[in-house]
Structure formats: structure tokens, C-alpha cells
Amino acid sequence: MRLLLIGGGGVGQSAAMIIKRAGKDADWLEKMVLSDYDLGRAEQVAKLVDDPRFVPEKINARDAENIKALVKKHDITYIMNAVEPEFNENIFDTALELGVGYIDCAMTLSK
């Protein structure tokens, strides 16, 4: 699995730590791209996880083309959404368009 995590805040950091621990003795995780609008934050999480499979990247969750570029750059198979709900529909629609799996750590707010 090659996973793009969008959001390096508390939820994203927790997810990365759990996945690191769960994947410690398994090869199911090939790569996890830790992305955030603040590259420094993504780099902090990558340093904390301390595993070469976890790669930091800058992302703009509002920009479908930016998401697509990272998916293509890293040959992503799943996107995990760990940002606030206002970005959910854009991220979900982009994953659907690209034909990659989608995991959501939150929910979409009603309109």
C-alpha cells in the first residue's frame, strides 16, 4: 500500500504513529506520504515516526491538481483524509476521479 495522508495535525500525527506501529513487522505499507499545507509540520511528523517509508510533502487540500500531482508522483493507492471537514468533498472527489481508495478520519458536514 502507498498511502497519501493529507493533514499532519493531531489526527494525522496519531494515524501515522499507529500505522508505523501496526506496520512495524509487516510489509503491507510500502510508503506513506505525510502531507500538510505546512511542510515543516509534515517534516516534524516524519522525524517523529523515524522510518524511511514516511515521506513529508507540502499539499494544498483545496487544490485538486496539487492532490493529483502528489498521487501521481508517489504512485499512491489510497488517500487518507485527516483535515477539517471543509476539504472532504474536494479530496473525496479527487480520489474518486483518480480511482484510488479513500479513507476519511472525519465526516462531511451537512449543507
Side-chain angles (χ1 to χ4, degrees):
M1 175 189 295
R2 291 171 306 281
L3 181 64
L4 170 61
L5 173 67
I6 301 177
V11 173
Q13 178 179 322
S14 296
M17 298 301 291
I18 291 167
I19 290 169
K20 159 70 176 191
R21 187 174 62 233
K24 182 179 176 187
D25 297 318
D27 61 0
W28 62 269
L29 181 68
E30 293 175 49
K31 178 189 276 189
M32 184 168 184
V33 178
L34 305 167
S35 69
D36 196 272
Y37 72 95
D38 178 355
L39 179 58
R41 179 65 187 145
E43 291 170 339
Q44 286 176 337
V45 176
K47 184 176 181 179
L48 182 65
V49 174
D50 191 29
D51 184 318
R53 296 175 298 168
F54 292 72
V55 179
E57 287 275 7
K58 182 174 178 66
I59 196 165
N60 179 350
R62 293 185 196 280
D63 183 354
E65 295 305 315
N66 186 220
I67 297 169
K68 289 176 189 178
L70 281 182
V71 167
K72 291 175 184 174
K73 177 180 179 180
H74 295 282
D75 196 24
I76 296 298
T77 54
Y78 282 86
I79 294 174
M80 177 181 273
N81 178 358
V83 295
E84 61 184 80
E86 79 174 82
F87 301 103
N88 290 3
E89 290 183 47
N90 184 54
I91 297 168
F92 175 81
D93 290 344
T94 304
L96 181 63
E97 180 182 335
L98 293 171
V100 299
Y102 178 81
I103 305 163
D104 199 332
C105 295
M107 58 182 237
T108 300
L109 300 174
S110 299
K111 291 185 178 181

